[in-house]
Amino acid sequence: MSIRWPAEAIWEAVVPLLPGFTVEILPQVDSTNTELMRRARTGQLEPILLVAERQTAGRGRLGRDWQSGASGGKRSDPHGEAPEGLSALTFSLGLPLQPADWSGLSLAVGLAVVQSLHPALQLKWPNDVWLHERKVAGILIETTSVGEVRYCVIGIGINLLPRDSAGLRTPAAALNEVLPDADAPGTLEALVLPLVGAVKAFETEGFAALRADFHARDLLYGREVICTDGTTGVARGVDASGALLVHTASGMQKISSAEVSVRPVPGTAAPTKP
Ligand code: BTN
């Protein structure tokens, strides 16, 4: 299978924002995040988009695995053919970054993903992307300091076609539920420039100005939630730093730890948003 990636078009669009930017497509790697973190630690600190057609050891948040089908997804075709394509898009953006305050970066990234792909996509704090009450994409952000430089790796995995949900904590959704023609190259092209723009804007402006936009896509707003740190209550959006606000029996709690995972109580739909 040979995939036509829009590497040149992406490079041309992004390089004015990120001088020295390159695009690299690999048929296979353990994990695009692991690879860019490895490279950064050996001093390769230029901005790069690294796409893998297959990951053998994809990683998720909280030390979890990220499994994505390699290829072979069949998509329906108006001409009766069933061309093969990747069933997931997996890539990482690596770049030096120096915001005054890092809090809220993962929310800003999630927002760029949902805003650039489809109006039905929602965010589950801090940065899972959900569709139709199921997870459709995940984001893993890691940083490393090399000398004076803080290098940031933003990894994104998006299910394009339905996948086997066996063993998953959350059943999976697929982007083709709302974008039947979505393929990996087109989805990448739609996403990368807005993502880079959002990350650069975050670097200078921080998260606070994005709060209302986050609330517009907030899956949890107004719903009963359970957090892995034991907090239960009604989600009330995020504060200016991106911390989750949960109205509990003992008052409003702020959850900012990336180690905490939150889920909506099944069957509770959001009432109204601010
Ligand atoms: C999560 O939902 O827990 C985050 C999943 C992040 C997966 C992406 S796929 C590309 C990049 N490489 C990885 O190993 N992980 C991220």
Side-chain angles (χ1 to χ4, degrees):
M1 175 185 50
S2 173
I3 299 170
R4 290 170 66 96
W5 290 100
E8 201 166 323
I10 291 174
W11 179 82
E12 276 178 6
V14 168
V15 78
L17 293 182
L18 291 180
F21 176 68
T22 56
V23 178
E24 186 176 335
I25 316 287
L26 294 176
Q28 179 171 308
V29 71
D30 51 358
S31 145
T32 52
N33 265 48
T34 304
E35 174 66 12
L36 290 189
M37 292 293 280
R38 250 189 321 252
R39 292 184 189 184
R41 290 183 187 118
T42 65
Q44 296 177 62
L45 300 173
E46 296 78 22
I48 182 170
L49 176 72
L50 181 66
V51 182
E53 293 179 354
R54 178 165 189 266
Q55 292 191 127
T56 54
R59 295 185 291 111
R61 285 178 63 240
L62 309 173
R64 297 182 186 128
D65 293 339
W66 174 266
Q67 316 254 340
S68 46
S71 60
K74 304 271 185 200
R75 58 182 77 247
S76 59
D77 178 284
H79 309 295
E81 296 168 10
E84 299 211 332
L86 296 180
S87 56
L89 170 64
T90 53
F91 68 93
S92 299
L93 172 72
L95 74 172
L97 208 62
Q98 43 185 349
D101 180 357
W102 287 81
S103 52
L105 173 61
S106 69
L107 284 67
V109 168
L111 198 52
V113 173
V114 301
Q115 288 179 334
S116 58
L117 294 182
H118 195 275
L121 298 176
Q122 291 185 289
L123 289 162
K124 183 176 83 66
W125 187 92
N127 57 4
D128 280 353
V129 179
W130 280 40
L131 172 66
H132 302 155
E133 297 290 317
R134 287 165 289 130
K135 179 166 171 171
V136 68
I139 297 165
L140 175 65
I141 300 181
E142 300 176 291
T143 65
T144 182
S145 291
V146 183
E148 297 293 297
V149 177
R150 187 98 176 261
Y151 194 79
C152 178
V153 175
I154 298 168
I156 300 181
I158 303 174
N159 301 325
L160 301 171
L161 300 177
R163 54 179 288 191
D164 183 5
S165 290
L168 296 179
R169 290 169 65 252
T170 312
L175 194 60
N176 83 337
E177 292 172 32
V178 284
L179 292 171
D181 295 328
D183 61 6
T187 305
L188 185 74
E189 190 167 6
L191 185 47
V192 173
L193 182 59
L195 173 65
V196 171
V199 172
K200 293 303 287 178
F202 174 86
E203 186 176 39
T204 51
E205 293 155 29
F207 173 73
L210 301 174
R211 222 178 138 209
D213 288 349
F214 184 89
H215 288 155
R217 299 294 193 123
D218 186 355
L219 173 87
L220 301 177
Y221 199 98
R223 293 174 71 162
E224 282 182 51
V225 293
I226 309 175
C227 309
T228 48
D229 68 353
T231 307
T232 60
V234 177
R236 288 284 171 225
V238 295
D239 72 4
S241 72
L244 179 70
L245 300 171
V246 181
H247 192 238
T248 71
S250 53
M252 198 68 89
Q253 305 277 324
K254 285 186 184 185
I255 297 171
S256 53
S257 169
E259 302 303 310
V260 176
S261 156
V262 186
R263 33 199 51 242
V265 175
T268 59
T272 49
K273 293 192 175 184

